[in-house]
Amino acid sequence: MKISKSLTLPSNTHTVVTIGTFDGVHIGHRKIIGRLIHTAKQEGLSSVILTFFPHPRMVLQTDAQIKLINTIEERYAILETLGIDFLVVKKFTREFSRMPAEDFVKRILVEKLRARKVVIGYDHRFGRNRNANIEGLKQFGLKYNFEVEEIPVQDINDVAVSSTKIRRALEEGHIAKANSYLGYHFMLTGTVIKGKGLGRQLGFSTANIAIEEDYKIIPKQGAYVVRSLIDETLFYGMMNIGTNPTVSGDALSIEVHFFNFEGDIYTKRLKIELLQRLRDEHKFDSLDQLKAQLEKDKAAALAYLADTDVK
C-alpha cells in the first residue's frame, strides 16, 4: 500500500475509489473495502481509499471533543493489511468542507485520482454542508465518465456495526463486544515512560504507557488482560487504566505488567492489544490489599488465557 498526502498518484493510474474516515476500520468498513478490492481486480484498476484527517467533526465541531478508535498511524497500519493499492489522506479543513460537491468530484475524484468507478455506501453524503447524495454522485458520474457502484442498504445493515457503537462499548468497558465489532483487538499505542515505581514495590513491575494523541479514545478505567509484541516476541500481561486511588493518585495512567518478561523497555513504542476486561478500578485500604488483588487479577488473567484460544 502506498500512502499519498498530496492527492498525487502515478500518471498512468486509473482507479476505483471509496471515500470515508474509516475510524476503527471495523467489520462494516471491511465489507466496503472488500468490495473495492474485488471490483478493482475485476476491472484491472488500482484500488484507492480516500480518507480524511483530522476527522471532520474535530474540525467542524470543536466543542464535540470526539475521541477516535484509531490514531492515524494505527489506521494506516490496519489498512495496509487489507490489500489496497493506495491510501490517499486529505487534510480536512474548514475551507475544504465548503468545497461544492461538483468541485470535489471534478478536482479530486476525476482530475487527481482519475476515478473510473466509485464504490460507496447507499447513505453517503458529500460536498458543502453534505448536501449531495449518491444520486447526485451518479449524475456527476454521467457527466465526468465514471461509474458509481452502490453498496445496498441490506448489505450495510447486515453488519449492523458503526464506529459510534464501538466507541460506546469501549467507554462502558465492554472490550469483548468492541473487539467483535472491530474484527481485531482494540489497541493502545504509546511510549514507555518512567512511573512512580509502585508496581515494582508491590512485586508487579509495570510499563507505563504514554499516549501522545489526545484524540485517542481510552477505554473505561479498570483492569484488562493484554498482549504486546516486544522485540518480535509476544508477551501477555495485565493492564490497569486509572488514577491509582489507593495511593491518592489523581492523574490517569496506563500501566502494564507483562508476565514472564524481564528487560529494559523504557522509551520503546508499544502496541498494547486489549483482550478482556477483568474488573473496575477500586480504592483499597492498604497496599497489602492492593497486592492481594493484583495476585487475584494475575490468576484470573492466566485462567482466561488458558481457557481461550487468543489469536
Side-chain angles (χ1 to χ4, degrees), residues 181-204:
Y181 288 159
L182 289 168
Y184 60 89
H185 298 118
F186 174 77
M187 68 192 77
L188 293 170
T189 306
T191 304
V192 180
I193 61 172
K194 287 191 178 293
K196 296 178 181 178
L198 177 61
R200 184 177 291 106
Q201 182 183 336
L202 297 172
F204 288 86

Side-chain angles (χ1 to χ4, degrees), residues 13-25:
T13 304
H14 297 282
T15 67
V16 182
V17 180
T18 194
I19 308 162
T21 52
F22 294 100
D23 183 34
V25 198

Side-chain angles (χ1 to χ4, degrees), residues 127-177:
R128 185 170 186 169
N129 298 322
R130 302 181 76 244
N131 60 0
N133 59 16
I134 192 162
E135 293 307 318
L137 187 62
K138 288 176 180 177
Q139 291 302 312
F140 291 135
L142 293 173
K143 182 174 181 178
Y144 293 105
N145 195 32
F146 63 85
E147 295 180 52
V148 177
E149 183 174 337
E150 178 180 355
I151 299 178
V153 58
Q154 60 267 28
D155 282 7
I156 301 294
N157 289 348
D158 281 349
V159 179
V161 170
S162 71
S163 299
T164 301
K165 282 185 179 179
I166 296 168
R167 293 185 198 110
R168 187 179 305 120
L170 292 168
E171 289 167 351
E172 294 173 353
H174 301 312
I175 193 67
K177 179 188 287 187

Side-chain angles (χ1 to χ4, degrees), residues 62-79:
T62 53
D63 58 338
Q65 296 185 334
I66 184 174
K67 297 293 185 180
L68 302 186
I69 299 163
N70 303 135
T71 66
I72 190 65
E73 289 79 11
E74 290 168 349
R75 202 189 320 170
Y76 292 167
I78 297 165
L79 288 169

Side-chain angles (χ1 to χ4, degrees), residues 236-264:
Y236 291 85
M238 57 189 191
M239 176 179 72
N240 187 75
I241 300 174
T243 59
N244 296 311
T246 302
V247 291
S248 302
D250 52 9
L252 187 73
S253 64
I254 300 170
E255 302 171 82
V256 183
H257 170 71
F258 290 110
F259 307 140
N260 305 316
F261 174 80
E262 292 183 9
D264 183 359

Side-chain angles (χ1 to χ4, degrees), residues 8-60:
T8 300
L9 301 182
S11 58
N12 60 345
T13 304
H14 297 282
T15 67
V16 182
V17 180
T18 194
I19 308 162
T21 52
F22 294 100
D23 183 34
V25 198
H26 55 61
I27 58 176
H29 293 144
R30 287 165 191 243
K31 193 157 193 172
I32 296 171
I33 294 167
R35 189 81 157 261
L36 172 80
I37 293 169
H38 174 77
T39 300
K41 288 180 178 178
Q42 195 173 47
E43 305 201 9
L45 301 169
S46 294
S47 55
V48 175
I49 289 180
L50 172 60
T51 192
F52 308 101
F53 190 80
H55 191 288
R57 284 176 58 189
M58 293 166 68
V59 175
L60 302 177

